[in-house]
RNA sequence: GCCGGUGUGGCGAAAUGGCAGACGCACAGGACUUAAAAUCCUGGAACCCUAAAAAGUUGUGUCGGUUCGAGUCCGACCACCGGCACCA
């Protein structure tokens, strides 16, 4: 345990350096000085704090504009389990900590918080077993996690620590639930609105009717649906928590059970959750997982009439089906309903006839999986069988199709042919309409089914030549698709879809439809250890139960104290045991379900911003400072319609100049366009004329690819603005590196102030070649709204000197969390839920951005030394405490990063830890005086109790002097600065570290080590190995009597490219692409001189002799390739 | 089955289309030491020739292509890992 000086037995020999003294010493110092506090707007910063000194902040509460630019680094919210930290946890934490320290050095105001997602099942199960309150186990686990995390020396701002089980926290979780409860999704405006804006249908007259309607429209509603019940866990689970028919936690069996549950209407946001993925910088794989989970599919709903049967009022009965292939309608040879479909019951309520049909294409003896004298028997048999099957059986074992004929027929609307209606469990009740038209000719599942039950298969799509049409599911050309006034024959699939859909709509037989796989979020759990709902149940005059929200003043709703945490004997949740708590004066009763664990983690990143605030979940100015977007309007995405600057300018010039135009971006619908028009007073017509109609439709239909959506502040870009693009690019006030695009190209930002506006052009480059102008911003350079964003960026960077064309340290200001690092296990749960909550809060005006996490990186899994997943049963789990005791926190941090790229899966190797540990030892010996170090070790052996005191007496190496560095030394340093800086910007920690190693290997050979060079090196080392760097920094400062500034806020060094220029060129000489020689020339050599030298190269001669030289390829200062003939 | 990712020495890995294997581990040899540990220095892809070297040939999962030049770009395939999976 721990790092007390007396522990840490040395299994592998003597310590490389006294990390056991250094690390606790600096952790204590940081804590005492509150070194890593992140400061909010409005907070008074102590004038002696290194942050205030670095940024010369006045001694008064700082405004958002006075604070340097923000950088928000977030680690995924840990659940403090009893098992303690695992080496996988610190992988992400180390990466974010390195960046936090790096960004601080670059001059940012860095927010880097930590807290606890502490509600959860393990503590509750322990409570059920022992009768001890889950709070106790939770507190002990949190304390252990915190101790372990603190021992790694992360620069968290612990004053912002949050805990979801703290009433001061879950009060606001309950408050957000009330916001959701008291809102509905307005399909007109496409956003959540207060329930008070809801309009009631004409037939809602009485209070009861209105209430019922209101309750049916809320974003949080009660449903009696069949839900996943897990007997073992004693609770229901969300769809997402059930994997292969078992509970995700524990792998216990689950069954479907109808229960009254709270649901959140996440499906209303399906489209936004999907579209806005285009606005955030996440890995493709993660975005893809979310897209798949949302599962949007476009198609048509088609209505089939039931043949020879009408309902009681004499109207025909229509069965709507959903299909993505309306073009194959002529190939539909039967209909399939889910067994649970509401029409699957005997006539007259349903469609099942009393007797089997006699004259048809389907012999009555082929009724499918079951047989019986009348259809109702067979259907009943099948429905019972399907219901008793567990979902595991329905999915995994369902290789073999089952189903029964209902005895009824439907009429195909396109050709009036009668086709049989079946029921089968391969059709899901919960997707689409619960019914399909089966096209066995062009659908794999339908074909399997048709073959099993001898149903007709006909071709309606012709595949490309050489492919069999049976079961061909791709796009082709429609055939055999003609009847009456409609023919699809000869049309390619996409056109056939369009034509048939239009035809169906015109006849009132169907309509275009979009379906999502995403289901509403089951939000209640039958548990004790979770947030109670701020809801009570009452009875109306007729005795019907209804729910009502508690007022905000009743928050937080605390859970009652219990002695037994099990569900009641009647299966009610544990909260029902507390009758005094449940029953309120006046006869109402509290809701006894609790919220799922995801609730608290849906918004924790917002609580960090202002964790102590009691008036609201977060102060609005604080929220805007940390989460607000960079611009008032990001307006132009020219790649939508013109990909290159030249084309763009030519296009702009070809248009008649006609004043201001309104160009918008991204996901803007007609309603928002109207709002923008009102807000800006600009003509949308101008916009229409500027772009062609197709481009406008493209944008309005939501295909924009915007980074930011800020409806309240869009600004017009005029044609004149387009014409400024070349000027902004060629003569900018500032140039900044904008990071990598998803295609791996570099984005460069150019800023220039013209006539009171700040223009920013972002271009995308590949190998110094301009590919496209990506975006153009325009902002007013003055005004009250300059809270964050580009003006301030430039200001900050000018101050820190980081925003020069040669530097890669500048990053584009981003809305929301700047970087979120965590494992892939949250790809569709936490990350989808949190985005949903954030969007609701955004719509209701509580937060500034539509997306919470601008950039997200998944860390790769760390495997055991055997290359297998770490698990207790394999016995290959590495405990960080052991590694820390033996090698120290700095070595542990370094190794976590040195293993390989952050996102990759990689195996642990304790031997590898020794490598980076030795590196730290080399750094130590590079800086300290050897005799005094030897004396220190001897003294420590003699009197271990005074080790701390002896440490102070270790002298700085005499080789470190205030001296002018040689050009070679400067080159070594600046190469290191360049590499470390660029690699940190690109999250390439492993190669950044190797650059530090190269520097040390080099510096070890220097007889005199110039102090300036060595100090810069310590600043570079500091993010990676902060304890050792602080110790050596302190010794350097003390010995040389320099400024004694704080290392954590020392400005990040800038590299000078001029110093990296080689004076000798080493030019590889290739013949036909094969390396034959390397020649050395002075850097001043001209291209011709290089060519001549290459042709005269001795080693290349044999390959040139007697050959004809066809061509000489010369890459300036890099390489020569001589191409010769045969 | 569908989607995504990854394939480079004994191992972890590195390489804006331009000297493949930086950096580290492990290994071998040497220095220091009575000795060991630690430290410092040196070495190494394979093949083929050699006493030794030089030179040469082949090498980034497989097969093709583009290019003066491919680990890198394009096409087809194979293997492994992750996700989804009767979603019409």
């Amino acid at each position: 345990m721990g790092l007390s000086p007396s522990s840490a037995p040395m299994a592998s020999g003597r310590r490389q350096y006294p990390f056991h003294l250094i690390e606790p010493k600096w952790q204590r110092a940081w804590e005492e000085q509150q070194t890593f506090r992140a400061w909010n707007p409005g907070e008074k910063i102590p004038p002696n704090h290194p942050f205030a000194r670095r940024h010369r902040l006045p001694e008064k509460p700082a405004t958002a504009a006075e604070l340097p630019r923000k950088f928000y680094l977030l680690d995924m919210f840990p659940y403090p389990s009893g098992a303690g930290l695992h080496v996988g946890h610190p992988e992400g934490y180390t990466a974010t900590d390195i960046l936090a320290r790096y960004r601080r050095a670059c001059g940012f105001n860095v927010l880097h918080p930590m807290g606890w997602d502490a509600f959860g099942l393990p503590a509750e199960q322990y409570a059920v077993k022992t009768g001890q309150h889950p709070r106790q186990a939770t507190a002990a686990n949190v304390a252990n996690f915190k101790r372990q995390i603190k021992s790694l020396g992360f620069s968290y701002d612990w004053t912002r620590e949050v805990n979801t089980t703290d009433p001061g926290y879950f009060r606001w979780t309950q408050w957000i639930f009330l916001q959701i409860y008291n809102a509905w999704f307005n399909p007109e405006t496409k956003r959540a609105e207060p329930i008070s804006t809801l309009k009631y249908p004409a037939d809602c007259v009485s209070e009861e009717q209105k209430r019922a309607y209101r309750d049916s429209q809320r974003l949080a509603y009660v449903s009696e649906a069949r839900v996943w019940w897990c007997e073992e866990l004693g609770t229901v689970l969300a769809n997402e928590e059930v994997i292969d028919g078992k509970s995700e936690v524990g792998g216990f069996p689950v069954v479907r059970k109808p229960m009254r549950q709270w649901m959140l209407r996440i499906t209303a946001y399906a489209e936004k959750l999907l579209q806005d993925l285009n606005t955030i910088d996440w890995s493709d794989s993660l975005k893809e997982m979310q897209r798949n989970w949302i599962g949007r599919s476009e198609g048509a709903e088609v209505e089939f009439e039931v043949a020879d049967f009408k309902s009681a009022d004499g109207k025909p009965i229509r069965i709507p089906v959903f299909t993505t292939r309306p073009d194959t309608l002529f190939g539909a040879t039967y209909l399939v309903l889910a067994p649970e479909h509401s029409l699957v019951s005997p006539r007259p309520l349903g469609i099942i006839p009393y007797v089997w049909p006699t004259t048809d294409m389907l012999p009555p003896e082929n009724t499918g999986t079951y047989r019986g004298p009348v259809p109702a028997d067979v259907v009943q048999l099948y429905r019972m069988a399907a219901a008793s099957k567990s979902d595991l059986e329905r999915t995994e074992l369902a290789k073999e199709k089952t189903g029964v004929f209902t005895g009824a027929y439907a009429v195909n609307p396109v050709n009036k042919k009668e086709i049989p209606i079946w029921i089968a469990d391969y059709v899901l009740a919960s997707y689409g309409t619960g019914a399909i038209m089966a096209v066995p000719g062009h659908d794999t599942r339908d074909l399997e089914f048709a073959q099993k039950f001898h149903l007709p298969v006909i071709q309606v799509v012709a595949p490309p030549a050489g492919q069999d049409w049976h079961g061909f599911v791709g796009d082709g050309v429609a055939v055999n698709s003609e009847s009456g006034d409609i023919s699809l024959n000869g049309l390619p699939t996409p056109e056939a879809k369009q034509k048939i859909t239009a035809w169906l709509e015109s006849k009132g037989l169907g309509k275009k439809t979009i379906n999502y796989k995403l289901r509403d979020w089951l939000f209640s759990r039958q548990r004790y250890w979770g947030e109670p709902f701020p809801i009570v149940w009452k009875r109306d005059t007729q005795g019907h139960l209804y729910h009502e929200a508690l007022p905000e003043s009743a928050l937080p709703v605390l859970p009652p104290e219990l002695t037994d945490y099990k569900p009641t004997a009647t299966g009610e949740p544990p909260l029902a045991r507390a009758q005094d708590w449940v029953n309120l004066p006046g006869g109402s009763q509290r809701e006894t379900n609790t919220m799922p664990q995801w609730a608290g983690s849906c918004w924790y990143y917002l609580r960090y911003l202002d964790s102590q605030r009691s008036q609201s979940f977060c102060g609005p100015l604080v929220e805007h400072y940390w989460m607000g977007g960079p611009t008032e309007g990001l307006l132009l995405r020219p790649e939508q319609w013109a990909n290159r600057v030249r084309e763009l300018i030519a296009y702009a010039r070809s248009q008649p100049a006609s004043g201001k135009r309104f160009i918008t971006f991204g996901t803007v619908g007609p309603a928002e366009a109207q709002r923008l028009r009102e807000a800006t007073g600009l003509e949308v017509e101008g916009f229409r004329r500027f772009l062609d109609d197709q481009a406008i439709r493209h944008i309005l239909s939501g295909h924009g690819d915007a980074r930011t959506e800020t409806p309240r502040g869009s600004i017009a870009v005029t044609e004149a603005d387009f014409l400024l693009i070349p000027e902004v690019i060629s003569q900018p006030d500032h140039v900044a590196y904008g990071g990598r695009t998803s295609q791996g190209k570099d984005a460069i930002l150019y800023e220039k102030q013209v006539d009171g506006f700040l223009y920013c052009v972002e271009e995308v480059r590949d190998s110094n070649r301009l590919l496209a102008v990506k975006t153009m911003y325009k902002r007013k350079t003055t005004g009250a709204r300059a809270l964050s964003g580009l003006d301030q960026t430039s200001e900050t960077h000018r101050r820190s000197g980081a925003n020069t064309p040669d530097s890669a340290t500048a990053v584009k200001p981003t809305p929301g969390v700047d970087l979120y690092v965590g494992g892939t296990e949250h790809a569709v749960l936490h990350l989808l839920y949190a985005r949903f909550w954030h969007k609701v809060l955004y719509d209701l005006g509580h937060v500034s951005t539509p997306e919470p996490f601008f950039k997200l990186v998944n860390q790769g899994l760390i495997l055991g030394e055997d290359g297998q997943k770490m698990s207790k049963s394999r016995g290959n789990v590495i405990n960080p405490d052991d590694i820390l005791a033996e090698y120290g926190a700095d070595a542990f941090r370094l190794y976590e990063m040195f293993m390989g790229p952050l996102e990759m899966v990689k195996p642990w190797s304790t031997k590898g830890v020794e490598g980076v540990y030795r590196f730290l030892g080399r750094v130590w010996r590079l800086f300290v005086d050897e005799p005094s170090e030897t004396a220190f070790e001897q003294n420590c052996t003699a009197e271990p109790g005074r080790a701390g005191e002896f440490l102070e007496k270790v002298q700085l190496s005499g080789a470190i002097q205030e001296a002018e560095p040689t050009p070679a030394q400067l080159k070594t340093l600046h190469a290191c600065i360049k590499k470390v800086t660029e690699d940190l910007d690109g999250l390439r920690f492993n190669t950044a570290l190797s650059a530090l190693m190269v520097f040390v290997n080099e510096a070890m050979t220097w007889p005199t080590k110039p102090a300036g060079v060595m100090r810069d090196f310590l600043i570079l080392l500091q993010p990676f190995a902060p304890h050792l760097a602080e110790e050596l920094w302190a010794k350097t400062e003390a010995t040389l009597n320099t400024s004694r500034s704080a290392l954590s806020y020392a400005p990040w060094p800038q590299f000078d490219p001029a110093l990296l220029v080689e004076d000798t060129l080493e030019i590889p000489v290739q013949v036909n692409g094969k390396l034959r020689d390397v020649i050395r020339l002075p850097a001043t050599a001209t291209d011709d001189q290089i060519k001549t030298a290459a042709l005269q190269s001795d080693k290349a001669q044999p390959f040139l002799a007697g050959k004809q030289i066809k061509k000489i390829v010369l890459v300036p200062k890099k390489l020569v390739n001589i191409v010769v003939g045969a």
Side-chain angles (χ1 to χ4, degrees), chain A residues 141-177:
Chain A
N141 290 348
V142 164
N144 187 42
F145 254 69
K146 192 170 175 181
R147 172 193 64 77
Q148 288 189 301
I149 289 179
K150 280 198 156 187
S151 69
L152 283 157
F154 295 132
S155 63
Y156 291 121
D157 177 356
W158 286 103
T159 65
R160 293 170 186 258
E161 178 181 359
V162 300
N163 182 324
T164 52
T165 65
D166 178 351
Y169 183 93
F170 69 69
R171 170 191 183 162
W172 299 110
T173 311
Q174 291 169 336
W175 179 85
I176 294 171
F177 174 81

Side-chain angles (χ1 to χ4, degrees), chain A residues 512-580:
Chain A
K512 197 175 162 190
T513 313
I514 293 162
N515 258 304
Y516 302 92
K517 280 202 287 186
L518 185 70
R519 303 294 141 80
D520 275 343
W521 175 12
L522 174 65
F523 194 67
S524 44
R525 298 291 184 276
Q526 291 67 48
R527 287 182 193 158
Y528 174 77
W529 197 223
E531 300 87 348
F533 282 82
I535 292 286
V536 292
W537 290 84
K538 295 185 172 174
R539 284 188 191 276
D540 66 12
T541 47
Q542 277 123 53
H544 294 128
L545 270 179
Y546 69 90
H547 48 78
E548 207 172 83
L550 288 169
E552 276 182 36
S553 59
L555 303 183
V557 178
L558 301 169
E561 294 298 318
L562 293 182
T563 48
D564 185 350
Y565 301 94
K566 281 197 281 293
T568 67
T570 55
E572 280 186 88
L575 292 187
R577 291 180 176 275
Q579 283 301 308
D580 292 349

Side-chain angles (χ1 to χ4, degrees), chain A residues 7 71 193 214 325 363 395 411 469 495 509 613 620 645 654 701 703 722 840 856 922:
Chain A
S7 72
F71 201 87
E193 292 179 9
R214 198 162 56 227
R325 292 296 298 271
T395 54
V411 180
W469 68 265
E495 288 164 39
L509 296 167
R613 186 177 170 90
V645 192
S654 70
S701 66
H703 289 286
F722 284 76
V840 175
L856 187 145
R922 282 161 74 82

Side-chain angles (χ1 to χ4, degrees), chain A residues 91 202 269 284 450 464 601 641 689 717 750 841 928 930 995 1053 1059:
Chain A
E91 187 192 13
Y269 279 85
D284 289 337
S601 60
W641 60 89
R689 259 182 291 148
V717 175
Y750 296 86
L841 291 173
V928 301
E930 207 185 317
L1059 294 172

Side-chain angles (χ1 to χ4, degrees), chain A residues 606-665:
Chain A
L606 293 169
R607 190 60 180 168
Y608 280 143
L609 306 177
D610 212 354
S611 62
Q612 302 306 312
R613 186 177 170 90
S614 55
Q615 306 97 302
S616 67
F617 75 102
C618 177
L621 284 177
V622 170
E623 191 277 336
H624 193 272
Y625 172 72
W626 291 110
M627 300 290 288
T631 63
E632 290 188 20
L634 165 62
L635 291 183
L636 173 64
R637 307 283 296 180
E639 78 267 33
Q640 301 288 340
W641 60 89
N643 209 24
R644 288 165 199 276
V645 192
R646 274 190 310 280
E647 289 167 27
L648 184 64
I649 293 167
Y651 188 62
R653 285 208 168 111
S654 70
Q655 302 297 310
S658 53
K660 285 190 170 179
R661 274 165 187 81
F662 166 46
I663 296 171
T664 181
F665 58 92

